Amino acid sequence: MSNLPLLGVNIDHVATLRNARGVDYPCPIQVALLCEQAGADGITLHLREDRRHIKDADVYAMKDRLATRMNLEMAVTEEMLAIALDVQPTWVCLVPEKRQEVTTEGGLDVANLRRLPEFIQALQEKNILVSLFIDPEFHQIDTAIACGADAIELHTGAYAEAGLSGNMQLVSDELSRIKQAVRYAKEQSDTLLVNAGHGLTRENVSSIACIEGIHELNIGHSLIADAIFMGIGQAVKEMKTAFASKPIDIR
Ligand code: PXP
């Protein structure tokens, strides 16, 4: 049980609900605090370029209220760099961003971002730890390590989608891709933390949570959806319980 990963709760969709009516409820900060009380190990929030859910004011207000740590997801832009340097969250997770996408569709192509090392360095100089959201591919891991990242977060979206399609061969293939990536990352670096996230649910999470070497899972959409039925505190607790449930039976 003690080897299970930490849970970072992504609270973006609380802000999505609030913004749908342009009112000030439900309050993402209040929800974040309830998540922490229920056992969340960190709070993740994505300040998108289009501010479709989290707003600048949420980031600033949350910074001083969290008892755990803030993981600020953001694109590699000068605007976001300035905000992160000002807010100084514990972690920044760099993600790719396309305006038209519904959610973060793929990992960051770190191998083709020439300014990444200096971008990471600027954050680290302010004692901000940096994670890179990447697809589970060896060359992306190599580049993330070469750039000096403190952590990688492996994109589990393809694994989650394979499950939704019901194609168990694909689920198995995507799961082994993630397992190999975790093993490879741990072999290449003693210090790099390996996180994962995207599309994880109480049903599909255990096969990822039981992979040796995974440090933290970041989970948002399904957990906030669960909260409609069971309340946010219970949703956090049940997600943590699901980490330890029996993994999907695939060979
Ligand atoms: N990790 C990263 C880097 C993300 O961009 C997201 C989605 O915003 C998540 C985790 C959480 O994904 P989901 O909402 O599908 O659980």
Side-chain angles (χ1 to χ4, degrees):
M1 194 84 182
S2 59
N3 281 338
L4 289 173
L6 303 175
L7 170 63
V9 177
N10 182 316
I11 47 113
D12 293 348
H13 293 298
V14 178
T16 306
L17 184 58
R18 175 195 62 188
N19 299 354
R21 283 291 172 94
V23 291
D24 62 1
Y25 66 88
C27 169
I29 301 163
Q30 232 178 317
V31 173
L33 300 182
L34 288 171
C35 290
E36 289 186 326
Q37 283 164 25
D41 302 290
I43 300 298
T44 294
L45 61 171
H46 185 176
L47 185 66
R48 292 187 75 102
E49 197 187 6
D50 61 10
R51 310 301 200 265
R52 70 173 71 155
H53 35 57
I54 294 295
K55 313 273 187 205
D56 301 50
D58 297 321
V59 181
Y60 279 90
M62 205 157 316
K63 170 70 197 332
D64 298 324
R65 305 279 308 275
L66 296 183
T68 57
R69 56 202 152 68
M70 177 189 284
N71 175 29
L72 179 63
E73 287 181 14
M74 59 181 224
V76 184
T77 66
E78 288 308 317
E79 183 201 14
M80 290 300 152
L81 179 63
I83 293 170
L85 293 178
D86 194 32
V87 173
Q88 296 189 31
T90 311
W91 282 94
V92 155
C93 179
L94 298 175
V95 301
E97 221 175 274
K98 294 191 210 108
R99 253 177 203 264
Q100 303 308 326
E101 69 189 357
V102 175
T103 181
T104 316
E105 281 167 1
L108 199 63
D109 186 6
V110 285
N112 285 312
L113 265 174
R114 272 196 292 139
R115 52 199 286 257
L116 204 52
E118 59 186 86
F119 199 93
I120 293 173
Q121 206 183 341
L123 292 162
Q124 289 172 334
E125 276 168 10
K126 282 264 191 174
N127 292 322
I128 301 166
L129 296 159
V130 182
S131 171
L132 304 179
F133 189 47
I134 58 172
D135 288 324
E137 289 169 7
F138 292 177
H139 74 283
Q140 300 290 0
I141 296 169
D142 289 338
T143 316
I145 293 169
C147 286
D150 300 288
I152 52 172
E153 179 172 332
L154 298 174
H155 197 311
T156 52
Y159 158 74
E161 271 175 35
L164 292 174
S165 76
N167 182 338
M168 293 317 279
Q169 183 55 53
L170 201 54
V171 173
S172 172
D173 293 348
E174 290 300 336
L175 193 54
S176 22
R177 220 154 72 87
I178 295 165
K179 285 181 180 169
Q180 282 167 24
V182 177
R183 197 177 315 129
Y184 181 78
K186 293 314 252 181
E187 281 165 8
Q188 303 308 306
S189 166
D190 294 335
T191 53
L192 185 79
L193 295 178
V194 181
N195 303 328
H198 212 281
L200 297 178
T201 65
R202 282 186 293 129
E203 286 69 39
N204 69 16
V205 77
S206 60
S207 301
I208 302 291
C210 72
I211 300 172
E212 202 183 315
I214 294 249
H215 175 69
E216 179 172 273
L217 298 178
N218 282 306
I219 305 179
H221 186 263
S222 75
L223 196 152
I224 301 300
D226 282 343
I228 293 173
F229 297 98
M230 58 180 85
I232 189 71
Q234 193 62 21
V236 168
K237 287 180 188 149
E238 296 215 7
M239 184 59 78
K240 286 199 118 173
T241 304
F243 279 14
S245 64
K246 193 169 171 289
I248 301 169
D249 192 13
I250 40 178
R251 293 177 215 285

